[in-house]
Amino acid sequence: MPDPEQERINQAAHLFKKSKFAVAFTGAGISVPSGIPDFRSPGGLWSKYDPLLVASAQALDNNPEQVWNFLLETSSLLDKAKPNPAHLSLAELEKQGRLQGVITQNIDNLHQKGGSRVVVEYHGNFQRFYCRECYREVPLSDIRQAEPSSVPLLCRECKGLVRPDVVFFGESIPQSAHARSLNLVQAADLILIAGTSGEVAPANTLPDKVKRNQGRIIEINLGRTAYTQISDIRFDGPVEEVLPKLADMILT
Ligand SMILES: [Zn+2]
Protein backbone atom coordinates (compact mmCIF):
# COMPACT_ATOMS: atom_id res chain seq x y z
CA MET A 1 0.00 0.00 0.00
CA PRO A 2 1.50 3.35 -0.96
CA ASP A 3 1.51 5.92 1.81
CA PRO A 4 -1.03 8.58 0.76
CA GLU A 5 0.92 11.41 2.40
CA GLN A 6 4.11 10.32 0.68
CA GLU A 7 2.23 10.21 -2.63
CA ARG A 8 1.11 13.79 -2.16
CA ILE A 9 4.61 14.87 -1.13
CA ASN A 10 5.92 13.35 -4.36
CA GLN A 11 3.25 15.16 -6.38
CA ALA A 12 3.86 18.47 -4.62
CA ALA A 13 7.62 18.13 -5.11
CA HIS A 14 6.98 17.44 -8.78
CA LEU A 15 4.93 20.67 -9.08
CA PHE A 16 7.75 22.57 -7.38
CA LYS A 17 10.39 21.15 -9.68
CA LYS A 18 8.31 22.07 -12.73
CA SER A 19 7.54 25.57 -11.48
CA LYS A 20 9.57 28.55 -12.65
CA PHE A 21 8.54 31.00 -9.95
CA ALA A 22 7.30 29.65 -6.62
CA VAL A 23 6.41 31.81 -3.65
CA ALA A 24 5.30 31.00 -0.12
CA PHE A 25 2.52 32.65 1.83
CA THR A 26 2.63 32.19 5.59
CA GLY A 27 0.70 33.13 8.69
CA ALA A 28 0.46 32.54 12.41
CA GLY A 29 0.39 28.73 12.11
CA ILE A 30 4.00 28.56 10.97
CA SER A 31 5.19 30.25 14.17
CA VAL A 32 3.07 28.31 16.67
CA PRO A 33 5.74 25.54 16.84
CA SER A 34 8.23 28.30 17.74
CA GLY A 35 6.20 29.03 20.86
CA ILE A 36 4.24 32.00 19.55
CA PRO A 37 0.56 31.27 20.08
CA ASP A 38 -1.73 32.52 17.33
CA PHE A 39 -2.98 35.88 18.63
CA ARG A 40 -6.48 34.83 17.57
CA SER A 41 -6.54 31.37 19.15
CA PRO A 42 -7.72 30.50 22.67
CA GLY A 43 -4.77 31.26 24.95
CA GLY A 44 -3.39 33.69 22.35
CA LEU A 45 -2.76 37.32 23.18
CA TRP A 46 -6.20 38.39 21.97
CA SER A 47 -7.88 36.23 24.59
CA LYS A 48 -6.01 38.26 27.21
CA TYR A 49 -6.08 41.71 25.62
CA ASP A 50 -8.68 43.53 23.59
CA PRO A 51 -6.84 44.35 20.35
CA LEU A 52 -8.65 47.66 19.97
CA LEU A 53 -7.39 48.76 23.40
CA VAL A 54 -3.76 47.76 22.91
CA ALA A 55 -3.04 47.55 19.20
CA SER A 56 -4.70 50.49 17.49
CA ALA A 57 -3.50 54.00 16.72
CA GLN A 58 -6.41 55.30 18.79
CA ALA A 59 -5.30 53.28 21.80
CA LEU A 60 -1.79 54.70 21.49
CA ASP A 61 -3.31 58.19 21.65
CA ASN A 62 -5.69 57.47 24.48
CA ASN A 63 -3.84 55.00 26.62
CA PRO A 64 -0.16 54.81 25.68
CA GLU A 65 0.85 53.18 28.94
CA GLN A 66 -1.48 50.23 28.48
CA VAL A 67 -0.40 49.85 24.86
CA TRP A 68 3.23 49.85 25.91
CA ASN A 69 2.72 47.21 28.58
CA PHE A 70 1.28 45.02 25.88
CA LEU A 71 4.18 45.88 23.55
CA LEU A 72 6.76 44.94 26.19
CA GLU A 73 5.08 41.61 26.85
CA THR A 74 4.87 40.85 23.13
CA SER A 75 8.45 41.93 22.58
CA SER A 76 9.82 39.60 25.24
CA LEU A 77 7.74 36.72 23.83
CA LEU A 78 9.03 37.31 20.28
CA ASP A 79 12.64 37.90 21.35
CA LYS A 80 12.82 34.40 22.80
CA ALA A 81 11.33 32.66 19.76
CA LYS A 82 13.54 30.71 17.36
CA PRO A 83 12.77 29.63 13.81
CA ASN A 84 11.46 26.06 13.54
CA PRO A 85 12.03 23.46 10.78
CA ALA A 86 9.25 25.01 8.65
CA HIS A 87 10.98 28.41 8.56
CA LEU A 88 14.35 26.73 7.93
CA SER A 89 12.94 24.65 5.05
CA LEU A 90 11.64 27.77 3.29
CA ALA A 91 15.03 29.45 3.70
CA GLU A 92 16.77 26.40 2.23
CA LEU A 93 14.38 26.25 -0.74
CA GLU A 94 15.13 29.90 -1.45
CA LYS A 95 18.88 29.34 -1.13
CA GLN A 96 18.68 26.47 -3.62
CA GLY A 97 16.74 28.58 -6.11
CA ARG A 98 13.42 26.74 -5.71
CA LEU A 99 11.56 29.57 -3.99
CA GLN A 100 11.55 33.22 -5.00
CA GLY A 101 10.28 34.70 -1.78
CA VAL A 102 8.01 34.57 1.24
CA ILE A 103 5.00 36.78 1.83
CA THR A 104 4.18 36.65 5.50
CA GLN A 105 1.44 38.04 7.69
CA ASN A 106 3.62 37.45 10.74
CA ILE A 107 5.45 40.23 12.53
CA ASP A 108 7.85 37.95 14.41
CA ASN A 109 10.94 38.20 12.15
CA LEU A 110 11.34 34.40 12.24
CA HIS A 111 11.68 33.98 8.47
CA GLN A 112 14.66 36.35 8.51
CA LYS A 113 16.10 34.67 11.61
CA GLY A 114 15.78 31.37 9.74
CA GLY A 115 17.76 32.68 6.78
CA SER A 116 15.11 33.78 4.27
CA ARG A 117 16.21 36.81 2.27
CA VAL A 118 13.22 37.87 0.19
CA VAL A 119 10.53 38.41 2.82
CA VAL A 120 7.55 40.67 2.27
CA GLU A 121 6.03 41.62 5.60
CA TYR A 122 2.40 42.28 5.04
CA HIS A 123 1.74 43.43 8.57
CA GLY A 124 5.12 44.91 9.45
CA ASN A 125 7.85 43.72 11.78
CA PHE A 126 7.89 43.85 15.54
CA GLN A 127 11.68 44.15 15.61
CA ARG A 128 11.48 47.66 14.15
CA PHE A 129 10.35 50.65 16.19
CA TYR A 130 10.17 54.30 15.25
CA CYS A 131 9.06 57.68 16.58
CA ARG A 132 5.68 58.51 15.15
CA GLU A 133 6.44 62.26 15.17
CA CYS A 134 9.91 62.48 13.59
CA TYR A 135 10.07 58.92 12.15
CA ARG A 136 13.50 58.37 13.67
CA GLU A 137 14.20 54.65 13.98
CA VAL A 138 14.57 53.57 17.59
CA PRO A 139 17.13 50.82 18.30
CA LEU A 140 15.77 47.54 19.56
CA SER A 141 18.12 47.75 22.54
CA ASP A 142 16.06 50.72 23.80
CA ILE A 143 12.94 48.57 23.70
CA ARG A 144 14.67 45.65 25.42
CA GLN A 145 15.91 47.91 28.20
CA ALA A 146 12.53 49.55 28.78
CA GLU A 147 10.94 48.80 32.14
CA PRO A 148 7.19 48.70 32.77
CA SER A 149 7.72 51.75 34.99
CA SER A 150 9.28 53.76 32.16
CA VAL A 151 6.60 53.33 29.51
CA PRO A 152 5.36 54.67 27.20
CA LEU A 153 8.68 54.98 25.45
CA LEU A 154 9.34 58.48 24.12
CA CYS A 155 11.68 59.59 21.36
CA ARG A 156 15.01 60.90 22.65
CA GLU A 157 15.03 63.65 20.06
CA CYS A 158 11.51 65.03 20.02
CA LYS A 159 9.67 63.26 22.87
CA GLY A 160 7.16 61.83 20.39
CA LEU A 161 5.59 58.45 21.12
CA VAL A 162 7.57 55.46 19.93
CA ARG A 163 5.63 52.69 18.18
CA PRO A 164 6.37 49.38 16.48
CA ASP A 165 6.50 49.25 12.69
CA VAL A 166 3.49 46.96 12.52
CA VAL A 167 0.02 47.41 11.11
CA PHE A 168 -2.29 48.22 13.99
CA PHE A 169 -6.01 47.51 13.86
CA GLY A 170 -7.73 50.03 11.64
CA GLU A 171 -4.52 50.92 9.79
CA SER A 172 -3.90 50.06 6.18
CA ILE A 173 -1.27 47.76 4.75
CA PRO A 174 1.95 49.60 3.85
CA GLN A 175 1.84 50.50 0.18
CA SER A 176 5.29 49.05 -0.47
CA ALA A 177 4.47 45.67 1.08
CA HIS A 178 1.27 45.48 -0.91
CA ALA A 179 3.04 46.35 -4.16
CA ARG A 180 5.87 43.88 -3.55
CA SER A 181 3.52 41.04 -2.70
CA LEU A 182 1.43 41.74 -5.80
CA ASN A 183 4.58 41.64 -7.91
CA LEU A 184 5.49 38.28 -6.44
CA VAL A 185 2.07 36.66 -6.84
CA GLN A 186 1.61 38.03 -10.34
CA ALA A 187 4.89 36.43 -11.38
CA ALA A 188 4.16 33.19 -9.52
CA ASP A 189 3.14 29.91 -11.14
CA LEU A 190 2.98 28.20 -7.75
CA ILE A 191 2.09 29.38 -4.27
CA LEU A 192 2.73 27.37 -1.13
CA ILE A 193 0.32 28.31 1.64
CA ALA A 194 1.64 27.40 5.07
CA GLY A 195 0.00 28.04 8.42
CA THR A 196 -2.63 30.53 7.38
CA SER A 197 -6.34 29.96 7.21
CA GLY A 198 -7.14 32.92 4.99
CA GLU A 199 -9.25 34.94 7.39
CA VAL A 200 -7.46 38.27 7.26
CA ALA A 201 -8.13 40.58 4.32
CA PRO A 202 -6.60 41.76 2.05
CA ALA A 203 -3.66 39.35 2.39
CA ASN A 204 -6.00 36.38 1.99
CA THR A 205 -6.78 37.30 -1.62
CA LEU A 206 -3.21 36.68 -2.82
CA PRO A 207 -3.53 32.93 -3.58
CA ASP A 208 -6.57 33.63 -5.80
CA LYS A 209 -4.40 35.80 -8.00
CA VAL A 210 -2.00 32.92 -8.61
CA LYS A 211 -4.91 30.61 -9.37
CA ARG A 212 -6.34 33.08 -11.88
CA ASN A 213 -3.04 33.00 -13.76
CA GLN A 214 -3.35 29.19 -14.00
CA GLY A 215 -0.82 28.78 -11.19
CA ARG A 216 -0.90 25.92 -8.71
CA ILE A 217 -1.67 26.03 -5.00
CA ILE A 218 -0.16 23.74 -2.38
CA GLU A 219 -1.61 24.10 1.08
CA ILE A 220 -0.23 22.94 4.44
CA ASN A 221 -2.65 23.68 7.24
CA LEU A 222 -4.36 22.03 10.16
CA GLY A 223 -8.01 21.47 9.30
CA ARG A 224 -10.13 22.92 6.53
CA THR A 225 -9.60 26.54 5.57
CA ALA A 226 -10.81 29.11 3.08
CA TYR A 227 -8.19 27.72 0.66
CA THR A 228 -9.21 24.09 0.80
CA GLN A 229 -11.54 24.49 -2.19
CA ILE A 230 -8.94 26.03 -4.45
CA SER A 231 -5.85 24.04 -3.42
CA ASP A 232 -4.39 21.59 -5.94
CA ILE A 233 -2.59 19.60 -3.26
CA ARG A 234 -3.41 19.86 0.37
CA PHE A 235 -1.71 18.57 3.52
CA ASP A 236 -3.74 18.48 6.70
CA GLY A 237 -0.86 18.24 9.14
CA PRO A 238 1.72 20.11 11.22
CA VAL A 239 3.64 22.50 8.99
CA GLU A 240 6.90 21.90 10.91
CA GLU A 241 6.69 18.21 9.93
CA VAL A 242 5.26 18.37 6.41
CA LEU A 243 7.37 21.21 5.06
CA PRO A 244 10.80 19.65 5.83
CA LYS A 245 9.67 16.39 4.16
CA LEU A 246 8.51 18.31 1.12
CA ALA A 247 11.71 20.38 0.97
CA ASP A 248 13.82 17.20 1.19
CA MET A 249 11.93 15.70 -1.73
CA ILE A 250 12.26 18.89 -3.80
CA LEU A 251 15.97 19.21 -3.12
CA THR A 252 16.97 15.59 -3.77
ZN1 LIG B 1 10.99 61.80 17.41
Side-chain angles (χ1 to χ4, degrees):
M1 270 288 281
D3 172 359
E5 186 189 84
Q6 189 58 49
E7 291 275 294
R8 273 178 294 121
I9 284 184
N10 295 346
Q11 289 165 0
H14 179 68
L15 287 186
F16 249 96
K17 287 179 173 175
K18 268 198 342 193
S19 103
K20 299 200 161 43
F21 200 102
V23 298
F25 177 51
T26 68
I30 199 169
S31 293
V32 170
S34 291
I36 303 174
D38 184 348
F39 281 29
R40 291 181 159 70
S41 68
L45 281 163
W46 298 150
S47 61
K48 188 171 165 190
Y49 291 99
D50 179 343
L52 290 177
L53 296 182
V54 294
S56 67
Q58 207 181 8
L60 194 58
D61 279 329
N62 297 340
N63 207 339
E65 199 180 309
Q66 190 179 356
V67 171
W68 264 94
N69 281 321
F70 164 76
L71 295 179
L72 290 186
E73 183 174 342
T74 309
S75 179
S76 80
L77 176 77
L78 298 186
D79 267 355
K80 277 182 256 162
K82 293 190 174 64
N84 67 61
H87 296 106
L88 299 176
S89 299
L90 291 179
E92 189 59 25
L93 287 171
E94 182 188 9
K95 199 173 156 196
Q96 302 297 333
R98 294 293 185 182
L99 188 73
Q100 306 306 314
V102 179
I103 301 164
T104 187
Q105 299 160 91
N106 298 341
I107 56 168
D108 54 33
N109 206 42
L110 288 180
H111 286 298
Q112 290 93 331
K113 277 191 196 168
S116 286
R117 279 168 293 193
V118 178
V119 181
V120 179
E121 295 164 320
Y122 221 78
H123 295 146
N125 187 323
F126 209 85
Q127 304 265 296
R128 288 192 305 265
F129 285 77
Y130 66 94
C131 165
R132 67 174 197 176
E133 303 300 331
C134 73
Y135 294 97
R136 188 180 74 94
E137 200 169 321
V138 176
L140 202 52
S141 54
D142 286 11
I143 313 302
R144 291 187 173 131
Q145 284 160 15
E147 299 284 340
S149 58
S150 63
V151 298
L153 211 66
L154 300 179
C155 173
R156 287 182 192 179
E157 303 291 325
C158 78
K159 304 290 174 224
L161 273 169
V162 173
R163 62 162 290 172
D165 190 6
V166 298
V167 177
F168 275 155
F169 285 85
E171 292 181 326
S172 49
I173 303 300
Q175 199 56 45
S176 60
H178 193 58
R180 285 182 71 205
S181 55
L182 279 182
N183 283 343
L184 282 177
V185 294
Q186 275 159 4
D189 57 5
L190 188 154
I191 189 164
L192 170 69
I193 299 170
T196 175
S197 56
E199 281 159 16
V200 184
N204 60 358
T205 61
L206 296 172
D208 287 327
K209 295 186 176 22
V210 177
K211 194 79 182 177
R212 253 182 270 145
N213 289 339
Q214 276 75 50
R216 300 302 191 105
I217 299 180
I218 300 170
E219 180 189 13
I220 310 172
N221 267 322
L222 289 170
R224 291 181 68 82
T225 71
Y227 301 120
T228 301
Q229 289 292 337
I230 58 168
S231 296
D232 294 283
I233 301 178
R234 184 171 169 267
F235 297 91
D236 189 342
V239 67
E240 75 280 18
E241 289 174 22
V242 177
L243 197 39
K245 287 185 205 163
L246 176 58
D248 275 352
M249 192 56 74
I250 294 166
L251 296 173
T252 49

